[in-house]
Amino acid sequence: MTNKDQLQNYINGEWRRSGSGKSLNVTNPANAELLTQVPLSPGDEVEQAARAAAAAAREWRSVPVTERVQYLFKLKNLLEADLKEMARTITNECGKTYAESLGELRRGIENVEVACGAPILMQGYNNEDIARGIDEHMFRQPLGVVAAITPFNFPGMIPLWFLPYAIAFGNCFILKPSEKVPMTSARLFELLDQTGLPPGVVQLVHGAKETVDALLDHPAVRAISFVGSTPVAKYVYSRATASGKRAQCQGGAKNAILILPDADMQMTATVTAESAFGCAGQRCLAASVAITVGEARRSFTEAIAEAAASRQVGCGLDAGVEMGPVITAESKARIEGLIERGRRQGAKVLVDGRGKQVKGYEQGNFLFPTVLQNVEPGGEIARTEIFGPVLSMMHAESIEQAIEMVNSSRYGNMACLFTSSGAAARKFRHQVAAGNVGINVGVAAPMAFFPFSGWKESFFGDLHGQGRHAAEFYTETKVVVERWPS
Ligand code: NAD
């Protein structure tokens, strides 16, 4: 599937070289080494993929679900066997630490496992005698061809939020992975190839905007799953739904953590540092804002400053490293620019991660953990998704005021509370306007059998990814009213 120069697409059960002539370099964010090139596939290659998927879908929907999931059992075993190699690939192209890469693959594999429950997940329901001698049944049937467009920050996990469910429920699938991290998907498709799936059930088409647009406009593609930044999520949602498709589009985030004075401060600082700086802050569930309430300010500030300053930064494959680089040099410059703007707007740079190098990796996109204090609520830094290892601190006098600050955000991906009070926790989870909520937890990532529940501008659509929502999203209901006169 790869040679050192260029990745290939996987269409109708075979690897095909893109004829586009346009490609991008894929580089290692830790040392700028050229890893491979990714083609920018044009519309006619999306057309080939959609045609192959549509042809395969006619047969695949009739393969018994118990047989369809056998391919996923094989995929699970292949992923387990390839775990270490795949984790190295993720670290090489994405920059996160090897342990973080293993962690995201684990979460991806959990989705394969949950999708193996498709025989139950896609069951319908029925009633006998809705009128005398008449029965009514609801069946779930696959949509046909569905596609997913994924971001750079979880190259192993996010394609697996969608692919296993889509095919288990009888659909054929097209993946357009991030052009920044295409190698992990290429490896995933090598493994899918080894499962013996019939040709056309899964397709991989590399590319960027032009490739996405061709998927959004293609009449055979019935549903789009998207994960990425909010402006693109909005765009994908409008264009996909305008052409009558189902769409579930997960967008950006600005997640807040509230710290009450009765929290276990050492644990809170450790967990918050992991949330804010893990994966170099490039997680849609990263803590971006910490709001201390009342007396919590002093003790939390000291503890988080220490946790930030002591975090080991370096190449994700090296022993002892706790945080890798950010994805690109442009990303690093953008984040540094935001830190500087925050400073000019009155924030204090309590821990400054700028201007530091990692020995032996001078070409890497390294930015060390940064903590901004006294960030203005409602100001630019409080509102903007930074998507880097920067924690902005704000202060509130009461939990009510802090919840209001959280709820004023245009995003609603995650909000967390640290406390030892059950009453405060109950108030928080009831009132906070976010779809994924953590209580004494810093990354409230839903397991594969719960929906990934972003709200507000963190999500456009109705049905989220994973679990039972995936069964709803990837099937349509057919109701049959039946009478058999005797
Ligand atoms: P991105 O929006 O730049 O790219 C995501 C995908 O969209 C890629 O496949 C890319 O090729 C494609 N794309 C980019 N611009 C496009 C355009 N103009 N038209 C059509 N397609 C386009 O996102 P990214 O930088 O890869 O990922 C980071 C973002 O993803 C952050 O905002 C993060 O919060 C978000 N994210 C959200 C979740 C979630 O669950 N809500 C999870 C992971 C990441």
Side-chain angles (χ1 to χ4, degrees):
M1 61 90 209
T2 76
N3 53 46
K4 190 77 179 154
D5 338 306
Q6 188 161 301
L7 295 172
Q8 298 190 17
N9 292 329
Y10 184 83
I11 296 174
N12 206 26
E14 61 185 27
W15 293 101
R16 294 187 191 170
R17 201 177 171 79
S18 168
S20 92
K22 285 188 277 179
S23 63
L24 296 174
N25 289 342
V26 180
T27 54
N28 183 331
N31 57 14
E33 180 201 352
L34 178 64
L35 298 171
T36 186
Q37 289 195 321
V38 61
L40 299 178
S41 308
D44 64 315
E45 288 168 8
V46 169
E47 169 65 31
Q48 290 171 26
R51 212 177 312 130
R58 286 193 279 278
E59 171 57 19
W60 184 242
R61 61 170 294 199
S62 304
V63 172
V65 61
T66 47
E67 279 179 41
R68 291 197 301 252
V69 299
Q70 296 309 316
Y71 297 97
L72 295 179
F73 284 113
K74 285 189 202 160
L75 178 64
K76 143 112 178 139
N77 289 335
L78 289 163
L79 284 165
E80 295 286 359
D82 206 53
L83 201 67
K84 292 182 178 160
E85 200 43 46
M86 222 163 158
R88 286 181 71 86
T89 303
I90 294 175
T91 296
N92 278 332
E93 66 176 356
C94 180
K96 62 180 64 173
T97 68
Y98 180 66
E100 289 167 342
S101 299
L102 284 174
E104 75 152 285
L105 279 173
R106 185 53 56 210
R107 302 306 297 261
I109 292 171
E110 279 166 10
N111 280 279
V112 180
E113 293 164 352
V114 171
C116 286
I120 282 187
L121 283 171
M122 75 180 297
Q123 277 175 341
Y125 44 83
N126 47 45
N127 280 82
E128 244 184 356
D129 291 315
I130 47 143
R132 212 166 277 276
I134 301 182
D135 306 329
E136 185 160 347
H137 313 275
M138 188 277 275
F139 298 97
R140 286 189 188 287
Q141 297 195 331
L143 299 174
V145 181
V146 300
I149 299 147
T150 54
F152 81 80
N153 62 331
F154 283 96
M157 176 180 75
I158 293 184
L160 293 174
W161 280 355
F162 307 112
L163 183 148
Y165 301 101
I167 65 172
F169 300 141
N171 301 283
C172 291
F173 182 84
I174 306 172
L175 174 66
K176 202 303 282 173
S178 166
E179 64 278 23
K180 295 187 180 116
V181 292
M183 296 171 73
T184 308
S185 292
R187 183 64 191 148
L188 171 66
F189 272 72
E190 283 186 333
L191 301 182
L192 284 162
D193 187 60
Q194 289 172 34
T195 63
L197 270 170
V201 174
V202 292
Q203 269 62 227
L204 171 67
V205 184
H206 292 290
K209 180 172 170 49
E210 187 184 344
T211 322
V212 172
D213 287 347
L215 281 169
L216 300 179
D217 295 344
H218 200 288
V221 178
R222 299 277 322 277
I224 296 282
S225 303
F226 171 89
V227 183
S229 58
T230 288
V232 185
K234 249 187 207 173
Y235 164 77
V236 168
Y237 186 75
S238 342
R239 190 153 168 169
T241 51
S243 65
K245 301 184 197 317
R246 287 188 183 186
Q248 47 178 198
C249 298
Q250 300 182 210
K254 185 79 187 174
N255 305 308
I257 286 195
L258 269 60
I259 301 113
L260 299 193
D262 62 4
D264 171 340
M265 233 24 104
Q266 203 47 56
M267 181 272 274
T268 302
T270 306
V271 172
T272 303
E274 176 47 38
S275 176
F277 309 127
C279 296
Q282 300 170 122
R283 268 197 292 231
C284 65
L285 295 181
S288 182
V289 173
I291 306 173
T292 50
V293 176
E295 295 295 302
R297 174 153 47 183
R298 197 177 51 79
S299 48
F300 178 75
T301 304
E302 280 167 15
I304 193 72
E306 195 188 314
S310 61
R311 207 163 180 88
Q312 294 301 309
V313 181
C315 169
L317 292 179
D318 291 349
V321 166
E322 296 169 304
M323 191 181 108
V326 297
I327 187 75
T328 57
E330 296 73 46
S331 218
K332 178 180 164 178
R334 183 185 55 78
I335 299 163
E336 285 174 339
L338 280 164
I339 296 170
E340 186 52 26
R341 285 226 287 287
R343 193 189 65 77
R344 292 212 185 121
Q345 288 161 19
K348 175 177 172 194
V349 189
L350 187 65
V351 180
D352 194 345
R354 295 171 295 174
K356 296 183 176 161
Q357 285 202 331
V358 175
K359 205 160 173 289
Y361 296 95
E362 287 74 11
Q363 302 306 311
N365 313 318
F366 291 100
L367 182 63
F368 284 50
T370 296
V371 180
L372 297 176
Q373 203 182 9
N374 302 331
V375 169
E376 185 199 350
E380 184 191 6
I381 301 303
R383 283 184 282 113
T384 307
E385 179 178 42
I386 298 178
F387 219 57
V390 180
L391 182 68
S392 299
M393 290 188 53
M394 302 196 288
H395 186 71
E397 290 310 325
S398 64
I399 183 171
E400 290 78 14
Q401 190 193 357
I403 292 174
E404 254 175 55
M405 283 158 78
V406 177
N407 291 356
S408 67
S409 171
R410 67 188 180 108
Y411 297 108
N413 219 31
M414 181 187 81
C416 300
L417 176 75
F418 285 81
T419 184
S420 54
S421 156
R426 205 267 165 194
K427 179 193 282 262
F428 180 75
R429 80 170 147 82
H430 186 63
Q431 294 184 358
V432 79
N436 301 296
V437 172
I439 306 290
N440 295 315
V441 164
V443 180
M447 296 292 286
F449 33 92
F450 284 91
F452 197 103
S453 290
W455 280 17
K456 296 163 89 176
E457 295 214 353
S458 297
F459 182 72
F460 302 89
D462 323 279
L463 295 164
H464 297 87
Q466 302 195 145
R468 290 181 212 171
H469 276 218
E472 296 273 348
F473 185 74
Y474 284 130
T475 59
E476 53 194 346
T477 52
K478 180 178 278 181
V479 171
V480 178
V481 181
E482 205 171 52
R483 169 164 44 202
W484 291 97
S486 50

mmCIF file of all heavy atoms in Angstrom, residues 320-342:
data_model
loop_
_atom_site.group_PDB
_atom_site.id
_atom_site.type_symbol
_atom_site.label_atom_id
_atom_site.label_comp_id
_atom_site.label_asym_id
_atom_site.label_seq_id
_atom_site.Cartn_x
_atom_site.Cartn_y
_atom_site.Cartn_z
ATOM 1 N N GLY A 320 10.380 7.997 29.307
ATOM 2 C CA GLY A 320 10.193 9.051 30.295
ATOM 3 C C GLY A 320 9.497 10.301 29.762
ATOM 4 O O GLY A 320 9.164 11.199 30.536
ATOM 5 N N VAL A 321 9.268 10.349 28.451
ATOM 6 C CA VAL A 321 8.628 11.547 27.878
ATOM 7 C C VAL A 321 7.126 11.518 28.163
ATOM 8 O O VAL A 321 6.462 10.507 27.980
ATOM 9 C CB VAL A 321 8.912 11.643 26.358
ATOM 10 C CG1 VAL A 321 8.000 12.660 25.691
ATOM 11 C CG2 VAL A 321 10.369 12.018 26.132
ATOM 12 N N GLU A 322 6.619 12.672 28.652
ATOM 13 C CA GLU A 322 5.197 12.745 29.009
ATOM 14 C C GLU A 322 4.407 13.592 28.015
ATOM 15 O O GLU A 322 3.178 13.612 28.054
ATOM 16 C CB GLU A 322 5.047 13.374 30.398
ATOM 17 C CG GLU A 322 5.666 12.537 31.505
ATOM 18 C CD GLU A 322 5.732 13.302 32.810
ATOM 19 O OE1 GLU A 322 6.321 14.410 32.832
ATOM 20 O OE2 GLU A 322 5.198 12.798 33.806
ATOM 21 N N MET A 323 5.092 14.334 27.167
ATOM 22 C CA MET A 323 4.381 15.181 26.206
ATOM 23 C C MET A 323 5.220 15.374 24.953
ATOM 24 O O MET A 323 6.410 15.685 25.050
ATOM 25 C CB MET A 323 4.092 16.544 26.857
ATOM 26 C CG MET A 323 3.143 17.406 26.055
ATOM 27 S SD MET A 323 2.880 19.004 26.856
ATOM 28 C CE MET A 323 3.793 20.044 25.725
ATOM 29 N N GLY A 324 4.604 15.173 23.797
ATOM 30 C CA GLY A 324 5.311 15.328 22.535
ATOM 31 C C GLY A 324 5.102 16.705 21.919
ATOM 32 O O GLY A 324 4.597 17.622 22.574
ATOM 33 N N PRO A 325 5.466 16.867 20.648
ATOM 34 C CA PRO A 325 5.330 18.153 19.963
ATOM 35 C C PRO A 325 3.890 18.397 19.508
ATOM 36 O O PRO A 325 3.074 17.481 19.535
ATOM 37 C CB PRO A 325 6.225 17.956 18.732
ATOM 38 C CG PRO A 325 6.141 16.483 18.456
ATOM 39 C CD PRO A 325 6.049 15.813 19.800
ATOM 40 N N VAL A 326 3.614 19.611 19.045
ATOM 41 C CA VAL A 326 2.333 19.854 18.368
ATOM 42 C C VAL A 326 2.500 19.497 16.895
ATOM 43 O O VAL A 326 3.613 19.292 16.409
ATOM 44 C CB VAL A 326 1.805 21.301 18.579
ATOM 45 C CG1 VAL A 326 1.525 21.557 20.041
ATOM 46 C CG2 VAL A 326 2.767 22.344 18.005
ATOM 47 N N ILE A 327 1.387 19.445 16.182
ATOM 48 C CA ILE A 327 1.375 18.761 14.892
ATOM 49 C C ILE A 327 2.239 19.429 13.809
ATOM 50 O O ILE A 327 2.940 18.749 13.072
ATOM 51 C CB ILE A 327 -0.086 18.538 14.401
ATOM 52 C CG1 ILE A 327 -0.130 17.671 13.149
ATOM 53 C CG2 ILE A 327 -0.836 19.848 14.180
ATOM 54 C CD1 ILE A 327 0.124 16.216 13.383
ATOM 55 N N THR A 328 2.189 20.758 13.710
ATOM 56 C CA THR A 328 2.956 21.419 12.647
ATOM 57 C C THR A 328 3.632 22.681 13.190
ATOM 58 O O THR A 328 3.252 23.202 14.245
ATOM 59 C CB THR A 328 2.044 21.882 11.470
ATOM 60 O OG1 THR A 328 1.035 22.745 12.025
ATOM 61 C CG2 THR A 328 1.379 20.720 10.762
ATOM 62 N N ALA A 329 4.575 23.190 12.415
ATOM 63 C CA ALA A 329 5.238 24.443 12.789
ATOM 64 C C ALA A 329 4.218 25.594 12.781
ATOM 65 O O ALA A 329 4.272 26.496 13.626
ATOM 66 C CB ALA A 329 6.373 24.729 11.817
ATOM 67 N N GLU A 330 3.249 25.536 11.848
ATOM 68 C CA GLU A 330 2.217 26.596 11.783
ATOM 69 C C GLU A 330 1.366 26.569 13.057
ATOM 70 O O GLU A 330 1.001 27.608 13.601
ATOM 71 C CB GLU A 330 1.268 26.398 10.580
ATOM 72 C CG GLU A 330 1.911 26.505 9.202
ATOM 73 C CD GLU A 330 2.777 25.296 8.858
ATOM 74 O OE1 GLU A 330 2.325 24.159 9.079
ATOM 75 O OE2 GLU A 330 3.918 25.487 8.384
ATOM 76 N N SER A 331 1.067 25.346 13.508
ATOM 77 C CA SER A 331 0.275 25.201 14.719
ATOM 78 C C SER A 331 1.017 25.810 15.910
ATOM 79 O O SER A 331 0.448 26.541 16.724
ATOM 80 C CB SER A 331 0.084 23.709 14.955
ATOM 81 O OG SER A 331 -1.153 23.437 15.428
ATOM 82 N N LYS A 332 2.305 25.500 15.980
ATOM 83 C CA LYS A 332 3.128 26.031 17.076
ATOM 84 C C LYS A 332 3.125 27.566 17.044
ATOM 85 O O LYS A 332 2.913 28.225 18.069
ATOM 86 C CB LYS A 332 4.560 25.486 16.941
ATOM 87 C CG LYS A 332 5.499 26.002 17.997
ATOM 88 C CD LYS A 332 6.895 25.448 17.838
ATOM 89 C CE LYS A 332 7.849 26.293 18.662
ATOM 90 N NZ LYS A 332 9.206 25.854 18.649
ATOM 91 N N ALA A 333 3.317 28.131 15.857
ATOM 92 C CA ALA A 333 3.355 29.595 15.740
ATOM 93 C C ALA A 333 2.001 30.206 16.124
ATOM 94 O O ALA A 333 1.932 31.240 16.792
ATOM 95 C CB ALA A 333 3.731 29.985 14.316
ATOM 96 N N ARG A 334 0.909 29.532 15.717
ATOM 97 C CA ARG A 334 -0.439 30.035 16.034
ATOM 98 C C ARG A 334 -0.657 30.045 17.550
ATOM 99 O O ARG A 334 -1.137 31.023 18.129
ATOM 100 C CB ARG A 334 -1.478 29.134 15.343
ATOM 101 C CG ARG A 334 -2.925 29.556 15.512
ATOM 102 C CD ARG A 334 -3.878 28.534 14.900
ATOM 103 N NE ARG A 334 -3.684 27.191 15.419
ATOM 104 C CZ ARG A 334 -4.124 26.768 16.599
ATOM 105 N NH1 ARG A 334 -4.815 27.585 17.367
ATOM 106 N NH2 ARG A 334 -3.894 25.540 17.016
ATOM 107 N N ILE A 335 -0.227 28.963 18.222
ATOM 108 C CA ILE A 335 -0.439 28.854 19.677
ATOM 109 C C ILE A 335 0.426 29.901 20.400
ATOM 110 O O ILE A 335 -0.031 30.581 21.322
ATOM 111 C CB ILE A 335 -0.104 27.429 20.169
ATOM 112 C CG1 ILE A 335 -1.015 26.403 19.480
ATOM 113 C CG2 ILE A 335 -0.254 27.323 21.683
ATOM 114 C CD1 ILE A 335 -0.520 24.960 19.566
ATOM 115 N N GLU A 336 1.664 30.042 19.954
ATOM 116 C CA GLU A 336 2.539 31.053 20.585
ATOM 117 C C GLU A 336 1.946 32.450 20.421
ATOM 118 O O GLU A 336 2.006 33.280 21.330
ATOM 119 C CB GLU A 336 3.934 30.994 19.952
ATOM 120 C CG GLU A 336 4.718 29.793 20.431
ATOM 121 C CD GLU A 336 6.066 29.629 19.717
ATOM 122 O OE1 GLU A 336 6.231 30.185 18.609
ATOM 123 O OE2 GLU A 336 6.925 28.941 20.256
ATOM 124 N N GLY A 337 1.354 32.682 19.251
ATOM 125 C CA GLY A 337 0.723 33.981 18.988
ATOM 126 C C GLY A 337 -0.425 34.228 19.962
ATOM 127 O O GLY A 337 -0.601 35.338 20.482
ATOM 128 N N LEU A 338 -1.212 33.175 20.234
ATOM 129 C CA LEU A 338 -2.336 33.329 21.159
ATOM 130 C C LEU A 338 -1.837 33.588 22.581
ATOM 131 O O LEU A 338 -2.424 34.387 23.321
ATOM 132 C CB LEU A 338 -3.220 32.079 21.120
ATOM 133 C CG LEU A 338 -4.196 32.019 19.940
ATOM 134 C CD1 LEU A 338 -4.749 30.610 19.753
ATOM 135 C CD2 LEU A 338 -5.341 33.022 20.124
ATOM 136 N N ILE A 339 -0.746 32.919 22.969
ATOM 137 C CA ILE A 339 -0.182 33.157 24.312
ATOM 138 C C ILE A 339 0.222 34.640 24.428
ATOM 139 O O ILE A 339 -0.084 35.319 25.416
ATOM 140 C CB ILE A 339 1.035 32.235 24.571
ATOM 141 C CG1 ILE A 339 0.600 30.765 24.566
ATOM 142 C CG2 ILE A 339 1.737 32.592 25.887
ATOM 143 C CD1 ILE A 339 1.755 29.758 24.577
ATOM 144 N N GLU A 340 0.863 35.122 23.394
ATOM 145 C CA GLU A 340 1.327 36.509 23.415
ATOM 146 C C GLU A 340 0.130 37.475 23.465
ATOM 147 O O GLU A 340 0.146 38.465 24.203
ATOM 148 C CB GLU A 340 2.217 36.775 22.181
ATOM 149 C CG GLU A 340 2.886 38.130 22.129
ATOM 150 C CD GLU A 340 3.663 38.490 23.412
ATOM 151 O OE1 GLU A 340 4.106 37.583 24.141
ATOM 152 O OE2 GLU A 340 3.808 39.715 23.670
ATOM 153 N N ARG A 341 -0.905 37.161 22.687
ATOM 154 C CA ARG A 341 -2.089 38.032 22.703
ATOM 155 C C ARG A 341 -2.728 38.022 24.097
ATOM 156 O O ARG A 341 -3.164 39.056 24.604
ATOM 157 C CB ARG A 341 -3.091 37.589 21.644
ATOM 158 C CG ARG A 341 -2.644 37.985 20.237
ATOM 159 C CD ARG A 341 -3.757 38.599 19.421
ATOM 160 N NE ARG A 341 -4.715 37.596 19.025
ATOM 161 C CZ ARG A 341 -4.492 36.667 18.086
ATOM 162 N NH1 ARG A 341 -3.331 36.640 17.465
ATOM 163 N NH2 ARG A 341 -5.419 35.806 17.763
ATOM 164 N N GLY A 342 -2.757 36.834 24.716
ATOM 165 C CA GLY A 342 -3.302 36.726 26.071
ATOM 166 C C GLY A 342 -2.520 37.616 27.023
ATOM 167 O O GLY A 342 -3.093 38.332 27.847
#
